[in-house]
Amino acid sequence: MADYAEITYAVAERVATVTLNRPEARNGYTIRMADELQAAMGRADRDEGVRVVVLTGAGADFCVGADLSQGGFDFDPEEGPGRHWQEPAGRCSKRIFTMNKPVIAALHGAAVGGGLTITLSCDYRLASEDSRFGFVFTRRGIYPEGASAWFLPRLVGMGTALDWMISGRVFAAAEALEKGLVHRVFPTGTVLDEAYRLAREIVGTTAPVSVAVTRQLLYRMASAESPFPVHELDSQLIGGLGANPDAVEGVLSFLQKRPPSFGMRVETDLPDYLPWLEK
């Protein structure tokens, strides 16, 4: 079991909970936290005993963004971080992007700057009524990170992305819901319970290989130049259903009016022709 200093990691009922755990600093984001989040997401993704990840924060806030309490960043501004260095928010958002397991962000209090960009690649963002959001980079003289300039327009449209990122203003949960940044808003104090409820539904009703393929199809094929390459891949997937035990089980469980028992494993049973798999 890995030890973490700035997050916690726990698994129960096939749900991994990853918690930002610097409540005394309002979960200010650090390079160590970035490294630990990247490691924890990889750990959950490799564990066949985990079906869903819930990402949340300890204390009153989810994350107030980069920890600037020392007056700067975690590298020497004179020398820079080196040409192969990767900024810390993107370390988390990219790892979530590549996952085969769905990730639910349970947000409360402040989720601003890097504390918001790390959630943009999550499958669900659930908010509390007390949530406050902001892409505040221009108000600090810095730049959007976490690959947010790629994710955000795809979630909310270019017009809203421009408004939020250029102004750097903080906005409430109601606006985030209206514009599509979050999926649902819940009464203060209940969002984590609602995240677990959603996670249990996914665990109990869906097939892990089907979820993994569907999740990556949506992201990887969204920028295809036309529907034709997407349909080519669809055709391979659908054409193989006759030899797919989960598809057989899905139909039988429906006809027999019982919960499904899917046996295929992400580790061994992903179709080997998926174009985003490492060869």
Side-chain angles (χ1 to χ4, degrees):
M1 300 292 286
D3 293 323
Y4 303 102
E6 299 190 356
I7 68 168
T8 62
Y9 182 95
V11 178
E13 299 180 333
R14 307 198 74 184
V15 178
T17 302
V18 178
T19 306
L20 310 185
N21 193 35
R22 301 183 70 226
E24 74 289 349
R26 302 178 70 192
N27 296 321
Y29 200 74
T30 68
I31 287 181
R32 178 160 190 169
M33 181 182 284
D35 291 340
E36 292 184 353
L37 281 172
Q38 185 178 11
M41 291 298 173
R43 177 179 174 182
D45 209 24
R46 292 186 298 270
D47 185 352
E48 288 293 338
V50 171
R51 285 289 320 280
V52 181
V53 178
V54 171
L55 174 62
T56 190
D61 297 290
F62 175 74
C63 178
V64 296
D67 185 350
L68 302 179
S69 61
Q70 302 304 311
F73 302 96
D74 289 352
F75 55 84
D76 186 340
E78 296 296 325
E79 298 180 3
R83 62 186 298 265
H84 297 295
W85 182 81
Q86 295 188 334
E87 59 82 15
R91 300 179 195 181
C92 181
S93 62
K94 288 197 306 179
R95 186 60 187 89
I96 294 173
F97 173 85
T98 60
M99 288 182 70
N100 289 308
K101 314 287 176 70
V103 181
I104 303 168
L107 307 173
H108 61 283
V112 299
L116 182 52
T117 62
I118 63 172
T119 73
L120 297 183
S121 55
C122 294
D123 301 85
Y124 294 90
R125 280 163 302 283
L126 308 182
S128 173
E129 287 178 344
D130 70 346
S131 295
R132 303 180 309 283
F133 303 100
F135 300 93
V136 297
F137 308 104
T138 58
R139 299 194 177 199
R140 305 291 181 268
I142 56 179
Y143 312 104
E145 30 73 302
S148 54
W150 189 89
F151 287 109
L152 187 61
R154 285 166 168 77
L155 294 172
V156 302
M158 185 61 77
T160 297
L162 286 165
D163 172 21
W164 286 346
M165 283 197 161
I166 289 176
S167 72
R169 64 185 176 83
V170 173
F171 52 95
E175 183 175 349
L177 179 64
E178 177 190 359
K179 300 297 186 180
L181 178 63
V182 301
H183 293 80
R184 301 180 191 98
V185 175
F186 297 100
T188 299
T190 67
V191 67
L192 187 56
D193 288 340
E194 294 293 344
Y196 287 134
R197 183 194 61 76
L198 174 58
R200 288 192 296 269
E201 179 181 354
I202 294 170
V203 170
T205 62
T206 67
V209 172
S210 179
V211 167
V213 173
T214 299
R215 185 185 194 281
Q216 289 297 320
L217 268 176
L218 286 165
Y219 263 142
R220 305 284 185 155
M221 306 305 284
S223 58
E225 70 276 9
S226 77
F228 297 105
V230 186
H231 185 243
E232 288 180 12
L233 184 52
D234 293 346
S235 297
Q236 286 183 279
L237 290 165
I238 300 304
L241 289 182
N244 183 315
D246 277 358
V248 174
E249 169 62 13
V251 172
L252 283 176
S253 63
F254 172 75
L255 294 175
Q256 296 170 1
K257 297 180 172 57
R258 59 171 174 81
S261 180
F262 296 114
M264 294 175 65
R265 296 164 60 91
V266 170
E267 183 178 336
T268 56
D269 298 321
L270 287 174
D272 59 10
Y273 52 79
L274 294 173
W276 53 84
L277 294 181
E278 294 182 5
K279 304 302 180 186

